[in-house]
Amino acid sequence: MKILMVLTSHDQLGDTGNKTGFWLEEFAAPYYVFKDAGADITLASPKGGQPPLDPKSDAEDAQTEATKRFKADPAAQQDLANTKVLSTVGADGFDAIFYPGGHGPLWDLAEDTDSRQLIETFARSDRPVGAVCHAPAVFRHTTAADGKSLVAGRTVTGFTNTEEEAVGLTDIVPFLVEDMLVANGGNYQKGADWASFVVTDGKLVTGQNPASSEEAARKLLTFL
């Protein structure tokens, strides 16, 4: 099994002067689900190298078994520090693609043409596509073979408007994940705020929030 994980390279939280990036749990939990299942993982990001970590995801109260394992794993840290430049990575040879969230993807991956082409290639070749929390932002401009939005008529989830409100960033983010998925014709579903909630539609796997990251990765694996 070869899995491509794509992380954000964006580190500015709008014009607040605060930092953002990827959310540690949403990378670490899927990374180890895939690793423990024997998958060969390739990491990529728009700029390559070390992707920016959202400092809030590094706070003590955000730590999980997976993040603690990552902090004690020099090989995984080395992997993360050396992500490939996304434009140099093709879909050939990979069995699935997975996007960890954090607020960063709202700015870069949502608009990235290389990411869009990869997702469309995976989807049209019936390979699994997974995204968790804010990462369903990557479906903002992706289309299916019929030219409609990739999420149109499909059951999806992602960070809820109420979760965004709870973290106080509703007016900071470029768009709200829930609203975008609905606007693109998605059959948007959600569970309780901050509880694990994952949906699949065909081989499209989406998770609502950080707590959903491990389950989303496990669901993705069932297709491989």
Side-chain angles (χ1 to χ4, degrees):
M1 294 183 294
K2 291 188 182 293
I3 300 175
L4 176 60
M5 291 182 77
V6 182
L7 296 105
T8 183
S9 291
H10 184 86
D11 70 349
Q12 295 297 315
L13 190 61
D15 53 12
T16 62
N18 295 324
K19 293 291 192 183
T20 189
F22 74 93
W23 198 262
L24 186 55
E25 157 71 6
E26 295 168 30
F27 163 72
Y31 180 86
Y32 287 117
V33 167
F34 299 149
K35 187 69 89 177
D36 292 347
D40 180 8
I41 304 166
T42 297
L43 305 180
S45 62
K47 293 180 181 174
Q50 175 72 53
L53 174 67
D54 186 313
K56 289 187 175 168
S57 73
D58 208 21
E60 196 51 48
D61 62 357
Q63 300 316 301
T64 64
E65 289 308 310
T67 65
K68 290 171 188 169
R69 181 174 170 187
F70 174 75
K71 287 173 183 291
D73 185 347
Q77 292 166 29
Q78 188 69 13
D79 267 0
L80 185 66
N82 294 283
T83 68
K84 295 183 184 302
V85 176
L86 189 58
S87 62
T88 68
V89 180
D92 289 356
F94 290 105
D95 301 303
I97 189 169
F98 187 90
Y99 287 79
H103 283 87
L106 295 171
W107 279 274
D108 65 350
L109 292 172
E111 309 300 330
D112 190 286
T113 52
D114 298 309
S115 173
R116 176 180 170 177
Q117 286 170 354
L118 278 170
I119 292 166
E120 290 172 355
T121 302
F122 275 85
R124 293 173 195 185
S125 54
D126 198 34
R127 284 178 278 176
V129 176
V132 67
C133 197
H134 284 90
V138 300
F139 304 126
R140 190 178 193 188
H141 302 298
T142 52
T143 57
D146 61 5
K148 293 179 182 168
S149 170
L150 186 68
V151 300
R154 302 182 76 176
T155 302
V156 287
T157 191
F159 207 58
T160 67
N161 289 355
T162 46
E163 286 168 327
E164 200 67 82
E165 198 176 315
V167 297
L169 295 174
T170 303
D171 298 328
I172 306 296
V173 293
F175 61 92
L176 296 168
V177 174
E178 177 179 336
D179 287 356
M180 179 275 291
L181 292 171
V182 171
N184 279 0
N187 171 27
Y188 180 83
Q189 306 281 314
K190 59 185 172 184
D193 283 1
W194 312 115
S196 179
F197 184 77
V198 176
V199 295
T200 57
D201 191 315
K203 292 180 182 173
L204 180 62
V205 181
T206 48
Q208 179 178 313
N209 49 33
S212 312
S213 50
E214 184 171 322
E215 186 188 344
R218 292 193 188 286
K219 284 269 171 69
L220 189 85
L221 277 182
T222 64
F223 297 113
L224 299 180

